[in-house]
Amino acid sequence: MDLTRLSAYELADALDKREVSAVEVTQAHLDRMTAVDPKVHAFLHRTDAAALAQATSVDERRASGAALSRLAGVPIAVKDNLAMRGEPTTCGSRILEGWRPPYDATVVARLRARDLVIVGKTNMDEFAMGSSTEHSAYGQTRNPWDLDRIPGGSGGGSAAAVASFQAPLAIGSDTGGSIRQPAAVTGTVGVKPTYGGVSRYGLVALASSLDQVGPVARSVLDTALLHEAIAGHDPRDSTSINAPVPDVVGAATRADVRGLRIGIVTQLSGDGYQAGVSQRFAEALEHLQHLGAEIVEVSCPSFEYALGAYYLILPSEASSNLARFDGMRFGLRAGDNGDNSVEQVMSLTREAGFGAEVKRRIILGTYALSSGYYDAYYGQAQKVRTLIVRDFAAAFEQVDVLVSPTAPTTAFRLGEKLDDPIAMYLNDVATIPVNLAGIGSMSLPAGLAPEDGLPVGFQIMAPPMADDRLYLVGAALEAALRDQWGHLLIEEAPAL
Amino acid sequence: MSTTHDTMPFDQALASFEPVLGLEVHVELGTNSKMFCGCSTVFGASPNTQVCPVCLGLPGSMPVVNAMAIESTIRIGLALNCTIASWCRFARKNYFYPDMPKDYQISQYDEPLCSNGYLDVTVPTDDGPTVVRVEIERVHMEEDTGKLLHAGGATGRIHGADHSLVDYNRAGIPLVEIVTKTIEGTGALAPAVAKAYVAELRDLMRALDVSDVRMEEGSMRCDVNLSLNRPGDGWGTRSETKNVNSLRSVERAVHSEIERQAALLTSGGRVVQETRHFHEDTGRSTSGRSKEQAEDYRYFPEPDLVPVAPSDAWIEELRATLPELPSAKRDRLKGEWGINDFELQTIVNAGALDLVEATIAAGVDSAAARKWWTGELQRTANDRGVELADLGVTPQQVREVEALIASGALNDKLARQVFEGLVAQEGTVAQIVSSRGLAVVSDDGALLAAIDDALAAQPDVADKIRDGKVQAAGAIVGAVMKATRGQADAAKVRALLLERLGVSE
């Protein structure tokens, strides 16, 4: 039995029945990493020793009859923008090279408390700015379906790690689609929870009002199990929601869409979407209709301005969030030769430490917040944001969930859009409204595009705090497609 | 950078110009923990020992608002007659500086928690105290920065230093900034108004028990904005004087800035909009950084914090916790003690109000309590350059001394020596009386012997007294007091003397 082919649910079950030990499970995944990651480059840093020690501890406690959490002993990969005590946390940036945080992000602490085994930190676009993971300062991650293609971004490392069976679970973060778009192009499942549903404490901020930590896995149920493990109120994050976590695991198990009203967003379909993407999206809708859901079309007119608003709000917040990387207290310091002033050292450090895309967005954001421009840019963008929230609210008056393709295209080739920021930004056109409104959203595989044989993502969006609906619909669609294909889509990924 | 300008004498300056004043006061709140994390706020700890990922601004860390700080700010706002916002946000003030861990300061910008209040202050004038209403623009919350120490240079300032050290213990200490509206029409009283306002604010903070308001430790800091204009003209360009760290300096800073700007404007120059630094030693300010190109702080709402939305019920609950405010207390005590405005002002100026009140509460009569605190003890405090409250003498000790005087064991002269001993930390009242040998000579025999000596030395005076000129007794009493080195009860000496000579009053 190849332990790396099992789902988290199956692994947890086997561990619970003591059919397999956590050390065996962990070692199998570490071996898989050794075998395939040189080709994929999903990981920036492996934590073999700590992982095996953790697994040993789980086995010992299980043997002594101690009560363990459901996912105890299951391996997991963590995006490199989550602080992990004593381990490198680079955010894919040179400026954090060598920095080892003295503390754990709340999500990392929860994973540890539930005895998941962290096997490493995954690659990402620098500070989560990008849709291809090509903006990492530490090399590009490749798509396991086609090594010449991008794995999506910014969380390409987490998606590729899961898609290449190096870990059954991964943690991502989603500011404009960084969990969902990589999931879409790698044939995996990713969820961006409702804003505030999962603690951001310890997540190195890109855009604080948009960022959300979420689960990545190969099945809807696995995603729900991880979602449940990391969600819930955190007193260290005052934007975290102090309310019970929706029953996502229960919803993923029920997988029932009978009587549910599902809305297609007019503005997130049609022109601009690759033919195969639209085709698989339409087929998925037929499945859902077949299962008893009612499909209607709803209009969200303000979505037209979402991308523009996003690219003002994100850079504005990022320009401020990234100010602290000044070489004074941690990370890279450049030009400290005794002659340069503090200001010069700060400037030289940022010049040397940040990549081109990061600089581009810092400049954009600095400009948008400047006195005299604030109202025209940041202020207007916030108004658009309010309109988008209203569009969603109006839509959810009519339907239970909204759906769209996750990304306009399947995975594009490495380098294809690297020199065209606008083309790169357009990749997130369907995922961005969700972040602006703070609602929850899932991407799951809808099949392979006929023209290129690459995965297509299906996006589900639910009202705030109703993340369980994502799982209800996602699990139902997944089951229907699985019946059609005889297996999960990921099983069709080429051997590496 | 230190340009000294000619100055115009104050009276002359006020003959031509009207000053417009604005005061920004920062108060460090006395909360146990910092504004956005759980670190301790105790003053004087070793550098960088009271820090955590949040107040160091480490990547990924997030702020959480200290509820006590909000509570204190609302109480300050209520005491200053402000409107309390039902909903407001924090904002980020962005600028790069090594003492700012995040390279932005979490502050409040266009949505302060408290706004539109006032504070009535009593200003001493030659014609007696007058009340001036200072209007408050806003009271808002923010976090303090770290502290930079410039090393390797002669002056301790950044110029000439070869490296700088940063202590982040102060970073994240809760600050409240209280900003006045422009204060106009005070004319020559401007310096006194500024001082009285800051003093009143300090007393208010103490009464509210929200800060220790020690200006010398920086827990209360004042920036003085000042401009001059000729009567009938619009406002002039203002300067902002920072580093004004005592009540006396507030007054001096306004005074000297009026003289400086008047000289500049009269000689055809113009006032530069700039930050100036006040120097305690010279009483003058020097030019700091120019604000001609206004710094762009790129304020925007802090996305890591949820809005502050105090309920009406909570605000009313806090209003009910307000103590008697200093002005009301002064009015009450004035009545209770039966004193006039001047006497009250003397006590207030000495910083003795609470001490006198406590002394009276301990059982000392009003006149005696005031006499000691505004007399001997205030003089001592002035000589030593400390606040009266920090002198080391307690109301209880004043009561003990007074009790000894009442019993005849001490007289005023000896009591002063007891206080001297208390200030020098020589022990308790009883210990000092004993160790310094400060007992009144009450042995009639010894006193009579001294009286006889004095009468023998001044026979002419003795005759006068015998002839009924009782007022001449003072000379003999004085001689006896001198002979006993003050350790006698003068009234008793006088009584014994008259008895000795067979004369009655």
Side-chain angles (χ1 to χ4, degrees):
Chain A
M1 179 172 58
D2 182 353
L3 294 173
T4 65
R5 303 300 288 192
L6 299 184
S7 69
Y9 178 81
E10 291 163 337
L11 283 171
D13 192 48
L15 285 160
D16 186 47
K17 291 176 179 152
R18 306 195 200 180
E19 293 165 1
V20 61
S21 73
V23 168
E24 288 168 329
V25 171
T26 302
Q27 192 59 56
H29 285 89
L30 295 175
D31 291 346
R32 174 76 182 167
M33 285 164 74
T34 305
V36 306
D37 208 46
K39 297 175 200 164
V40 178
H41 191 43
F43 287 89
L44 290 178
H45 179 65
R46 293 172 57 146
T47 50
D48 294 42
L52 287 167
Q54 170 82 359
T56 304
S57 160
V58 169
D59 287 338
E60 284 168 3
R61 279 177 287 139
R62 203 186 297 276
S64 73
L68 294 172
S69 91
R70 190 167 186 171
L71 293 174
V74 176
I76 188 165
V78 175
K79 195 175 180 180
D80 204 31
N81 57 355
L82 282 143
M84 206 168 147
R85 183 193 290 269
E87 301 288 353
T89 299
T90 67
C91 299
S93 181
R94 287 283 168 217
I95 212 159
L96 276 176
E97 196 165 9
W99 182 60
R100 289 170 189 256
Y103 77 105
D104 275 337
T106 296
V107 165
V108 170
R110 287 192 180 177
L111 295 177
R112 292 193 202 274
R114 284 158 182 71
D115 281 312
L116 281 96
V117 175
I118 300 170
V119 293
K121 305 290 294 289
T122 58
N123 200 8
M124 56 185 286
D125 284 299
E126 185 177 3
F127 286 108
M129 298 183 194
S131 307
S132 68
T133 316
E134 293 168 292
H135 293 305
S136 168
Y138 303 100
Q140 57 209 18
T141 298
R142 292 164 185 272
N143 191 324
W145 289 80
D146 178 345
L147 296 176
D148 290 330
R149 290 181 186 261
I150 60 103
S154 68
S158 284
V162 169
S164 59
F165 296 89
Q166 300 188 64
L169 301 172
I171 297 291
S173 71
D174 190 314
T175 305
S178 285
I179 287 175
R180 291 163 290 156
Q181 182 258 8
V185 301
T186 58
T188 55
V189 183
V191 166
K192 176 227 168 281
T194 294
Y195 184 77
V198 177
S199 170
R200 290 189 292 120
Y201 187 80
L203 168 71
V204 180
L206 165 54
S208 310
S209 73
L210 301 165
D211 297 342
Q212 188 55 206
V213 178
V216 179
R218 291 187 293 260
S219 74
V220 172
L221 179 57
D222 277 9
T223 310
L225 290 169
L226 180 54
H227 188 142
E228 185 186 64
I230 59 174
H233 181 245
D234 177 11
R236 289 177 183 275
D237 171 1
S238 58
T239 65
S240 97
I241 298 166
N242 195 354
V245 178
D247 182 11
V248 292
V249 175
T253 314
R254 277 209 317 287
D256 184 0
V257 294
R258 279 173 301 174
L260 225 56
R261 288 172 67 88
I262 295 176
I264 305 164
V265 182
T266 312
Q267 285 75 11
L268 300 182
S269 55
D271 286 354
Y273 289 79
Q274 188 181 320
V277 169
S278 296
Q279 186 187 333
R280 295 300 177 222
F281 176 67
E283 289 166 9
L285 290 173
E286 281 172 32
H287 277 295
L288 289 167
Q289 200 164 19
H290 231 74
L291 292 168
E294 186 188 342
I295 312 291
V296 297
E297 189 168 327
V298 296
S299 179
C300 295
S302 302
F303 283 19
E304 192 185 330
Y305 308 107
L307 196 72
Y310 177 83
Y311 276 102
L312 287 168
I313 293 168
L314 178 142
S316 296
E317 292 184 12
S319 70
S320 174
N321 282 330
L322 297 186
R324 69 189 65 190
F325 301 97
D326 60 6
M328 292 297 114
R329 291 162 301 280
F330 46 79
L332 183 76
R333 178 182 287 184
D336 185 6
N337 58 7
D339 291 330
N340 287 320
S341 69
V342 165
E343 288 79 5
Q344 286 167 321
V345 170
M346 285 180 169
S347 179
L348 289 165
T349 298
R350 292 165 69 79
E351 168 64 31
F354 287 140
E357 180 63 24
V358 173
K359 287 175 188 162
R360 174 162 31 237
R361 296 200 198 184
I362 289 174
I363 291 167
L364 269 172
T366 303
Y367 186 78
L369 287 178
S370 296
S371 147
Y373 297 99
Y374 180 94
D375 290 339
Y377 295 120
Y378 188 80
Q380 283 298 106
Q382 290 292 9
K383 286 179 190 161
V384 169
R385 192 170 187 174
T386 302
L387 295 176
I388 286 167
V389 169
R390 286 186 193 155
D391 274 3
F392 270 120
F396 287 127
E397 294 275 309
Q398 306 168 51
V399 297
D400 298 300
V401 294
L402 293 166
V403 294
S404 77
T406 309
T409 67
T410 56
F412 47 89
R413 293 186 186 283
L414 289 168
E416 192 178 321
K417 298 185 179 177
L418 201 48
D419 299 324
D420 187 351
I422 302 293
M424 190 76 94
Y425 296 170
L426 280 167
N427 242 276
D428 297 330
V429 70
T431 47
I432 276 171
V434 160
N435 299 80
L436 288 170
I439 65 171
S441 171
M442 170 188 283
S443 177
L444 77 157
L448 303 177
E451 60 269 35
D452 55 20
L454 291 167
V456 171
F458 182 88
Q459 177 175 239
I460 309 164
M461 298 163 269
M465 309 281 287
D467 295 352
D468 50 337
R469 289 189 204 170
L470 306 173
Y471 292 92
L472 202 60
V473 177
L477 176 60
E478 182 186 64
L481 291 169
R482 196 174 197 165
D483 283 348
Q484 180 188 332
W485 302 327
H487 49 249
L488 288 175
L489 187 68
I490 195 71
E491 299 293 340
E492 295 180 30
L496 287 164
Chain B
M1 75 164 215
S2 110
T3 29
T4 317
H5 293 276
D6 291 329
T7 60
M8 175 183 278
F10 188 71
D11 292 343
Q12 201 184 328
L14 265 300
S16 309
F17 297 100
E18 292 175 345
V20 176
L21 196 58
L23 298 162
E24 293 173 19
V25 175
H26 283 91
V27 175
E28 272 186 4
L29 293 178
T31 53
N32 292 325
S33 57
K34 291 186 179 180
M35 186 76 217
F36 300 114
C37 64
C39 287
S40 167
T41 55
V42 174
F43 181 79
S46 300
N48 298 311
T49 54
Q50 293 171 349
V51 292
C52 73
V54 176
C55 58
L56 283 177
L58 294 188
S61 65
M62 293 177 70
V64 174
V65 173
N66 181 338
M68 267 308 290
I70 305 262
E71 189 175 308
S72 296
T73 308
I74 292 175
R75 292 177 75 236
I76 291 169
L78 291 171
L80 290 172
N81 309 291
C82 287
T83 305
I84 311 300
S86 57
W87 190 91
C88 66
R89 289 178 293 187
F90 284 93
R92 288 190 189 173
K93 180 181 184 180
N94 295 285
Y95 64 97
F96 285 91
Y97 209 66
D99 66 3
M100 291 258 298
K102 303 180 291 290
D103 288 308
Y104 60 80
Q105 179 190 31
I106 304 177
S107 179
Q108 290 196 287
Y109 180 50
D110 49 359
E111 300 170 9
L113 182 53
C114 319
S115 55
N116 292 321
Y118 62 84
L119 182 63
D120 288 334
V121 302
T122 306
V123 184
T125 73
D126 295 343
D127 306 324
T130 180
V131 173
V132 174
R133 173 159 294 187
V134 175
E135 292 194 85
I136 307 292
E137 170 86 29
R138 56 187 285 153
V139 179
H140 76 246
M141 298 169 284
E142 59 187 33
E143 55 178 342
D144 210 342
T145 60
K147 224 180 218 169
L148 280 175
L149 182 74
H150 303 294
T155 59
R157 298 183 67 87
I158 194 162
H159 289 275
D162 62 15
H163 67 282
S164 301
L165 300 168
V166 198
D167 178 6
Y168 292 107
N169 283 354
R170 200 180 68 178
I173 300 263
L175 286 182
V176 160
E177 183 174 343
I178 301 162
V179 183
T180 67
K181 294 184 180 175
T182 49
I183 305 166
E184 298 174 74
T186 55
L189 279 182
V193 168
K195 180 187 175 187
Y197 166 74
V198 177
E200 185 70 21
L201 210 50
R202 185 192 60 176
D203 291 349
L204 190 66
M205 298 300 136
R206 278 199 190 132
L208 292 169
D209 196 22
V210 292
S211 169
D212 61 7
V213 281
R214 291 181 184 276
M215 293 189 84
E216 69 283 4
E217 281 181 12
S219 62
M220 183 170 181
R221 320 197 271 269
C222 182
D223 300 342
V224 174
N225 289 287
L226 189 118
S227 69
L228 294 184
N229 58 269
R230 292 182 194 277
D233 285 358
W235 290 345
T237 304
R238 69 185 164 87
S239 65
E240 181 179 13
T241 306
K242 288 185 178 287
N243 206 23
V244 187
N245 292 334
S246 70
L247 290 180
R248 185 166 162 258
S249 294
V250 171
E251 189 169 30
R252 291 201 303 164
V254 174
H255 200 274
S256 73
E257 187 59 10
I258 288 173
E259 293 182 334
R260 187 188 71 87
Q261 288 189 15
L264 204 54
L265 293 169
T266 306
S267 66
R270 75 187 180 101
V271 175
V272 179
Q273 190 175 337
E274 63 180 355
T275 299
R276 300 184 64 81
H277 297 284
F278 186 76
H279 304 284
E280 294 276 340
D281 47 356
T282 61
R284 298 284 190 83
S285 63
T286 52
S287 174
R289 71 197 141 96
S290 163
K291 281 198 166 179
E292 295 278 279
Q293 292 106 18
E295 196 140 358
D296 188 350
Y297 293 120
R298 292 173 286 120
Y299 283 101
F300 73 105
E302 165 59 277
D304 279 334
L305 290 171
V306 289
V308 177
S311 68
D312 288 349
W314 191 38
I315 293 170
E316 289 317 308
E317 214 173 282
L318 293 176
R319 195 190 300 275
T321 70
L322 293 184
E324 180 184 37
L325 300 182
S327 56
K329 181 178 187 169
R330 285 195 302 271
D331 287 347
R332 175 175 61 80
L333 294 179
K334 198 175 100 179
E336 284 179 15
W337 299 345
I339 56 175
N340 62 32
D341 284 338
F342 279 111
E343 289 169 307
L344 178 71
Q345 197 61 49
T346 305
I347 298 170
V348 170
N349 287 349
L353 198 70
D354 291 343
L355 295 164
V356 171
E357 192 190 17
T359 306
I360 293 169
V364 176
D365 80 59
S366 155
R370 284 185 279 128
K371 177 189 76 184
W372 286 118
W373 286 111
T374 61
E376 178 66 17
L377 294 172
Q378 195 206 348
R379 268 194 301 280
T380 310
N382 283 350
D383 290 348
R384 300 173 75 93
V386 299
E387 297 278 326
L388 194 54
D390 297 331
L391 194 57
V393 177
T394 66
Q396 189 57 34
Q397 289 166 332
V398 174
R399 190 195 66 81
E400 288 173 35
V401 170
E402 267 298 313
L404 291 174
I405 293 171
S407 74
L410 288 180
N411 58 22
D412 281 10
K413 188 174 174 195
L414 293 175
R416 280 197 282 275
Q417 292 188 50
V418 175
F419 287 127
E420 191 183 294
L422 286 171
V423 171
Q425 297 185 309
E426 290 173 13
T428 64
V429 171
Q431 286 165 347
I432 293 165
V433 166
S434 142
S435 65
R436 289 197 172 201
L438 301 177
V440 166
V441 178
S442 55
D443 174 355
D444 286 3
L447 288 178
L448 285 171
I451 288 169
D452 289 344
D453 288 350
L455 290 171
Q458 301 180 68
D460 50 329
V461 177
D463 291 342
K464 278 185 189 165
I465 300 171
R466 281 195 196 92
D467 291 347
K469 289 186 177 159
V470 181
Q471 63 270 35
I476 303 296
V477 172
V480 172
M481 294 305 289
K482 195 173 175 189
T484 56
R485 298 197 325 280
Q487 285 179 267
D489 178 341
K492 187 165 187 178
V493 171
R494 184 182 170 89
L496 283 173
L497 168 66
L498 298 180
E499 193 185 318
R500 189 79 165 171
L501 300 177
V503 178
S504 60
E505 295 268 1

